[in-house]
Amino acid sequence: MRMPTTAHFKLRRKQFLAAIDTPVLLMAGDWIPRNYPANPGPFRADSTFLFLFPDPEPNAAALFDPKDKSVTLFLNERTAADALWHGPSSSFAAVKRAIGVTRVAKRSDLAGVVKRQLGRRRARTLAVADPRATAEAREICGDKVDFADASRIGDPDLLLAVAKLRNHRLPEEVKEMRLAARITRDAHKTAMAHTRPGVHEQELYGHVEGTFAKHGCVQAYGTILSVRGEVLHNHDHSNEVRRGDLVLLDAGAELPSGYCGDVTRTWPANGRFNASQRDIYDIVLAAEETAIAMIKPGVRYGDLHFTAARVIADGLTQLGLMRGSADDLVESGAHAVFFPHGLGHLIGLDVHDMEGFGDLIHYPPGRTRSAQFGAAFLRLDVDMEPGMYVTVEPGIYFVPPILHDAALRKQFRGQVDFNKAERFLKMNSGRGFGGVRIEDDVMCTDRGHDVLTSDVPKERAALEALIGSAV
Ligand code: GLY
Ligand code: MN
């Protein structure tokens, strides 16, 4: 299994030890059963654990002690039954040598070892998705961490220290992200090539998932593949793809190391954009490319969002769907009738990287989330730094519950032509126009940016050449 090197993980653990001034207990989490206990879902270690260790074992834990700079890794004992059902595993001595930690201890001794090593000192911890691991860490650390509550996921100083490290990518991590981007590209291209009127969404979904599996990857999040792209996180794949539909694919591969891609493309079922599809597509592409072009150290992510929103407002004004200056439309929030979400998010080991850490790390001191419709979904408003990795994903959607919302219609009646928008709901034999989203993954570099997913076709001509080419 391909992973960053031992030297890379040793450096990351050294950096983490230097960044903390109290002991820290980290939990990988265990298998989480799908239904009955012996039927586990696929194991996925917590991302901070993946950040510091190669290929973590289920139920692993680690104690970082800055006092003597030690790292103790706790692993399940090797039993004959495990060897029978799951195959052999390396001895503790072999793991210690391979990973380069101070010691490897029995997981069942976790509480006792922590107590003996720390005496009266207390360890901090981070809540993880596995509730049993979090409960154990709470007990051992006397900490009230809670995975479901972003304000209690861990001590704020600890979260900031982890975020600082995770946000600044090292070359081996960039290599992983490039690989995830390549596999994500292949999945998108396969889905495009197999698209034709009459195919079912689930068949295209199968091509996407099959591409991930062929490369030893899993989906980084529930793949969105739908002709109903106006439902932002649509996980249904039961529709037939029909002439006149737009197919929206939002999918990303996750490598065994945990690094992932998150790309969205939208294309016409029959291989040719019609006039309305072309008009809307070109506005979204212009918004995306304008925002991406701005990325460099020091640029505020919120400014990217509002610039993209102005490009969208301007484009929709030219089509007669909005009225007024782009500045006024974005100031009032009217653009959100068509672009109702934020421009994007951090990406890395979590597809929305460290979203569980809350706005503490997404909104620096002095900045808070807007309460305005649309901007309230802006997940990120940091100043870009070299090594930061973000998505840029504007969209335009014709969403019946938004366009028919009495309060929004009243609020924006002078700025949105709701009658004209209604015509988009009636297009495509009454199935509606749907939505267009275009998303790339962009790394901030010392001098500018690098679009790691730039090989996924998005120019209209490139898409048209590819659609249906495998059928
Ligand atoms: N890929 C889904 C999202 O970014 O929300
Ligand atoms: Mn995304």
Side-chain angles (χ1 to χ4, degrees), residues 221 224 233 250 262 264 345 351-352 379 391 393 437 439:
Y221 52 94
I224 298 160
H233 281 178
D250 180 343
D262 178 6
T264 307
H345 49 85
V351 61
H352 291 186
R379 301 177 198 273
T391 69
E393 49 179 308
R437 179 164 66 251
E439 172 178 30

Side-chain angles (χ1 to χ4, degrees), residues 27 117 152 178 190 219 269 281 350 353 422:
M27 312 296 274
Q117 184 170 324
R152 285 175 44 203
R178 281 193 200 289
T190 305
Q219 52 177 227
Y281 191 88
D350 303 318
D353 210 31
E422 190 69 23

Side-chain angles (χ1 to χ4, degrees), residues 400-445:
I402 291 181
L403 294 173
H404 295 157
D405 183 281
L408 291 174
R409 286 178 80 100
K410 188 165 168 222
Q411 185 180 354
F412 297 123
R413 65 175 178 258
Q415 296 178 297
V416 173
D417 186 334
F418 283 97
N419 289 333
K420 193 152 197 171
E422 190 69 23
R423 276 186 240 146
F424 280 74
L425 297 182
K426 301 214 161 70
M427 281 178 182
N428 195 15
S429 310
R431 296 198 295 284
F433 177 93
V436 172
R437 179 164 66 251
I438 306 174
E439 172 178 30
D440 280 293
D441 304 342
V442 187
M443 196 159 87
C444 182
T445 59

